[in-house]
Amino acid sequence: MNKKILMIGSALFGIITTLSIFIVVLQHMEQASNNTDTKPDIAAKNDAVMKLIDRGDVQTYENGYYMIKDLEHIMYFDYATQKEVYLCNKPNCKHEDESCSAYLKIGEVNEIFYYDQHLYLVNAQEASNVVSMNAAGTTSEASDNGNPSTVYRMDLDGTNRKKLFTVPSGTQISMPYVIKGNQMFTFLEYYEHIQDKQNSFTTNITSRKLIAINLDNGSYEEIDDAMNDSFIGIYDNKIILQEIVYAQDPNLFDDDISGYIDNMYHSDIQIKLFDIESKKSEALFKESFIDAEQIKVGENGIYMLGQHSKTLKYYDINKRQKSDFTQLSQSDMTLAPIIDNKLLVYHYKDEAAHIDRAEIIDLKSKEQSEFHLKDTNDYLVEILASNDKYYFVQMGYTLGEEYTTWAGTTQQDIVATDYGLILKEDYWNSKANYLKMENAK
């Protein structure tokens, strides 16, 4: 399927960091190293934790939260000090070049995640083309294949960055990933550049493979064709896959958005269970897309909500059995990711995605209750990370002054984002008792 490439620019800025926070980070690292083998034989361990890494998933490092800011810096929110800092321990560092452990100049799109006392960084830059126009109005194409997607591993303080894997030429990877020990599973996309009817250039994905990457030696294995597959969950050390079985080839619709959507609603969803040891898949069930428009994975099952439906369906993976789970208060609700066996469902009141109504479903008791935690912009307070006691949340943001873009449209940029900690019980009881984080300047 064609993917339009958006070229994003970012601004550099500097700051003097606080060293005391990184003493805490280093102490956490030392404690972790004392509790684990220095060089474990991960490949031989069947008890390594399997983890799904995807956008919107909750980070689980117990002492802080890592994020990429302004596309070029790794930031760390320390729970103990309630401060945000650059992931750098150099005094008076301006964070402007690669001598700084917080600085990123690897590619345009970077993804960072925590796993087993290390940080992983994936440069997931997609290839793109640059098109120039001369005075006569004709265009010339200059290929820009970008930096190849590369996986790095580093210590929790950003040091000792090591390159683990680089994709072959003409391919790319991006989230989601599944990682277990020294194995990382993802989808390798093969692409080509094409010119569409509007004379703009796009990246066309010609094939997509499910692959297993050996993070110890940088080798990889192509397991299966996976053009329309995605990872949606983990169950019993197996990967839950969702495949869209299209009624018609989606590439036939080009820019016909209504035709593409209609094709989707006449297609099916196939749910499969992939065993990473045998490299084989088991088909669990098939459902029409219109009856499983939204899918979320819980501890032992899969929850589904159809278009305009109030009936939340459930597939029990243990029993291989499907049933109606509960009735929602109204139709056209949106399902949030399941966190701590609770499912948040909400309804938008306008096209700007402001929240009209939100409810919590306790998946153990099936009890439903209203949820009222909203930020100052009338959006839900979003959980970004958790430990045993707290959630790390985005509490809201501040917009700058309105301005007119080159295209003549008006726009406002986010100039500040508010983050904080909240007790888990306070979050689910809609009590806005935050421990506010101090942002880096």
Side-chain angles (χ1 to χ4, degrees):
M1 186 176 297
N2 292 340
K3 291 188 177 180
K4 301 259 176 148
I5 306 302
L6 179 65
M7 304 300 290
I8 303 174
S10 62
L12 297 177
F13 60 92
I15 188 172
I16 297 177
T17 188
T18 306
L19 290 176
S20 59
I21 295 178
F22 276 88
I23 294 173
V24 177
V25 175
L26 291 168
Q27 287 173 343
H28 293 324
M29 292 173 57
E30 183 178 358
Q31 291 169 3
S33 66
N34 290 336
N35 293 330
T36 59
D37 297 333
T38 55
K39 291 185 178 180
D41 184 7
I42 303 177
K45 279 190 173 183
N46 290 324
D47 59 348
V49 175
M50 179 184 283
K51 187 174 182 181
L52 172 66
I53 310 295
D54 202 357
R55 296 175 181 87
D57 282 352
V58 173
Q59 202 177 104
T60 55
Y61 178 52
E62 63 180 8
N63 298 310
Y65 177 73
Y66 296 90
M67 67 177 289
I68 294 175
K69 189 174 184 177
D70 65 31
L71 301 179
E72 289 190 343
H73 293 97
I74 304 174
M75 310 301 293
Y76 177 68
F77 288 87
D78 184 74
Y79 295 164
T81 61
Q82 297 174 36
K83 290 182 179 180
E84 175 195 26
V85 295
Y86 289 83
L87 195 66
C88 169
N89 57 8
K90 290 176 59 179
N92 303 319
C93 182
K94 294 183 178 180
H95 317 298
E96 293 179 341
D97 56 45
E98 294 180 4
S99 66
C100 170
S101 59
Y103 181 77
L104 299 174
K105 197 61 178 179
I106 302 169
E108 287 185 355
V109 180
N110 293 289
E111 303 164 338
I112 195 165
F113 61 90
Y114 165 81
Y115 176 78
D116 193 25
Q117 300 301 325
H118 284 92
L119 291 180
Y120 287 79
L121 178 72
V122 182
N123 161 26
Q125 179 179 0
E126 295 180 331
S128 62
N129 278 22
V130 177
V131 181
S132 61
M133 180 175 291
N134 59 28
T138 58
T139 60
S140 62
E141 177 186 356
S143 178
D144 174 17
N145 289 321
N147 296 328
S149 301
T150 304
V151 181
Y152 299 84
R153 182 170 58 206
M154 67 189 84
D155 292 338
L156 295 180
D157 64 350
T159 61
N160 298 321
R161 189 178 302 178
K162 179 182 179 182
K163 184 186 295 186
L164 303 178
F165 172 74
T166 300
V167 302
S169 177
T171 67
Q172 60 193 20
I173 60 173
S174 60
M175 287 184 180
Y177 312 111
V178 169
I179 186 168
K180 182 183 181 185
N182 75 328
Q183 290 190 95
M184 180 171 165
F185 297 85
T186 188
F187 299 103
L188 184 68
E189 296 178 334
Y190 292 79
Y191 62 81
E192 64 180 4
H193 296 308
I194 62 172
Q195 187 174 4
D196 64 19
K197 296 176 182 177
Q198 286 73 38
N199 293 321
S200 62
F201 290 90
T202 63
T203 299
N204 185 46
I205 306 303
T206 58
S207 67
R208 192 166 180 262
K209 306 288 186 180
L210 172 61
I211 65 169
I213 303 169
N214 185 316
L215 297 176
D216 286 343
N217 59 28
S219 64
Y220 75 97
E221 172 191 2
E222 290 190 0
I223 299 170
D224 200 0
D225 291 327
M227 192 64 175
N228 302 312
D229 288 11
S230 60
F231 299 147
I232 61 170
I234 300 294
Y235 169 79
D236 192 27
N237 276 322
K238 298 179 178 67
I239 304 172
I240 304 174
L241 287 165
Q242 171 186 292
E243 178 188 6
I244 301 178
V245 184
Y246 285 101
Q248 298 183 66
D249 183 351
N251 288 315
L252 296 174
F253 299 93
D254 198 16
D255 292 330
D256 180 7
I257 297 176
S258 62
Y260 175 82
I261 293 174
D262 182 68
N263 184 51
M264 283 289 296
Y265 285 120
H266 286 86
S267 302
D268 292 325
I269 297 291
Q270 176 76 62
I271 304 299
K272 301 176 288 187
L273 205 56
F274 175 73
D275 189 319
I276 66 171
E277 301 297 332
S278 66
K279 305 292 194 299
K280 293 182 179 180
S281 295
E282 172 195 354
L284 294 181
F285 68 92
K286 182 182 284 189
E287 186 70 79
S288 65
F289 182 88
I290 200 168
D291 290 328
E293 186 179 34
Q294 298 181 67
I295 295 178
K296 300 296 176 184
V297 176
E299 290 182 359
N300 296 305
I302 301 167
Y303 299 83
M304 298 165 285
L305 186 63
Q307 185 188 37
H308 306 315
S309 177
K310 294 170 59 177
T311 302
L312 185 66
K313 297 180 180 180
Y314 176 67
Y315 181 83
D316 189 317
I317 302 178
N318 292 329
K319 298 179 180 178
R320 303 294 199 269
Q321 182 177 328
K322 187 162 45 178
S323 62
D324 291 347
F325 185 77
T326 192
Q327 293 292 311
L328 305 182
S329 62
Q330 64 185 87
S331 60
D332 298 314
M333 300 286 271
T334 298
L335 306 183
I338 295 170
I339 301 173
D340 289 335
N341 228 6
K342 292 180 174 60
L343 174 61
L344 188 60
V345 299
Y346 50 93
H347 186 267
Y348 295 121
K349 66 180 178 182
D350 54 34
E351 293 183 356
H354 295 112
I355 301 300
D356 175 38
R357 180 183 177 86
E359 298 171 353
I360 303 163
I361 303 174
D362 187 307
L363 298 179
K364 288 185 177 180
S365 65
K366 297 188 180 182
E367 180 182 347
Q368 299 184 35
S369 58
E370 287 194 44
F371 182 79
H372 300 288
L373 268 191
K374 299 179 185 179
D375 64 22
T376 53
N377 303 289
D378 212 19
Y379 297 111
L380 291 179
V381 173
E382 181 184 2
I383 298 174
L384 302 176
S386 72
N387 58 20
D388 290 340
K389 188 176 181 180
Y390 291 102
Y391 292 129
F392 178 77
V393 298
Q394 179 176 310
M395 298 155 43
Y397 57 85
T398 303
L399 292 173
E401 293 184 3
E402 192 174 90
Y403 63 93
T404 303
T405 67
W406 63 268
T409 59
T410 58
Q411 185 172 315
Q412 288 177 283
D413 294 331
I414 296 175
V415 296
T417 304
D418 296 325
Y419 300 96
L421 291 169
I422 184 172
L423 290 169
K424 290 185 173 183
E425 55 266 34
D426 283 349
Y427 182 87
W428 297 117
N429 289 312
S430 300
K431 296 180 179 179
N433 300 324
Y434 301 114
L435 298 174
K436 194 175 184 302
M437 287 283 170
E438 179 183 327
N439 289 35
K441 297 185 174 73

